[in-house]
Amino acid sequence: SVDSSDTGLFYTFHTSDGHHVSLTAAHNIPVFLDDTQQRIFLPASRVTLKHRLIMHNRHVAIVNITRDIHLGVYSPLTMSSYMLVNNISTSV
C-alpha cells in the first residue's frame, strides 16, 4: 500500500556495473551461486557479497550492501510475480 508517512528498512544492493536495487528484508530475490552454478531465491536479508544478481540473463557481482530506511513505502504486484527493478530481476 502507499502511504507517504510509512517507513521501512530496506537492503540496497549495488552492482559492479553501477546498478542498484532496494528491497525489504523479507522480499525474495533470485541470486546466482558461482560455486554451485545454481539460481536460488533468498530473502534480501540473507543475500551476501558472495551472491550475484541476475540482470537480463547475466550474473552481476554485488560490490556493496547497505541497510537504509525509506519513506513512502510501496509494494507492487504483477500477474507473473516477477518484475525488473533497475534492470535487476526481482519477485513481488
Side-chain angles (χ1 to χ4, degrees):
S1 67
V2 177
D3 183 341
S4 61
S5 65
D6 283 349
T7 61
L9 174 64
F10 284 73
Y11 287 77
T12 301
F13 305 102
H14 303 268
T15 66
S16 59
D17 61 356
H19 289 88
H20 67 276
V21 63
S22 296
L23 305 169
T24 62
H27 195 112
N28 289 323
I29 185 168
V31 295
F32 186 78
L33 301 168
D34 280 335
D35 56 343
T36 62
Q37 298 293 301
Q38 291 182 322
R39 182 189 320 180
I40 61 170
F41 283 84
L42 288 178
S45 63
R46 293 189 48 217
V47 175
T48 70
L49 296 178
K50 293 180 181 180
H51 298 107
R52 292 181 171 269
L53 296 184
I54 299 169
M55 297 180 65
H56 295 294
N57 294 322
R58 61 188 175 99
H59 310 130
V60 181
I62 301 169
V63 295
N64 191 25
I65 302 171
T66 59
R67 293 179 2 157
D68 310 301
I69 301 295
H70 288 235
L71 179 67
V73 178
Y74 178 71
S75 180
L77 296 176
T78 67
M79 295 296 287
S80 70
S81 296
Y82 295 97
M83 65 186 296
L84 291 177
V85 178
N86 293 338
N87 293 319
I88 299 170
S89 179
T90 64
S91 66
V92 294

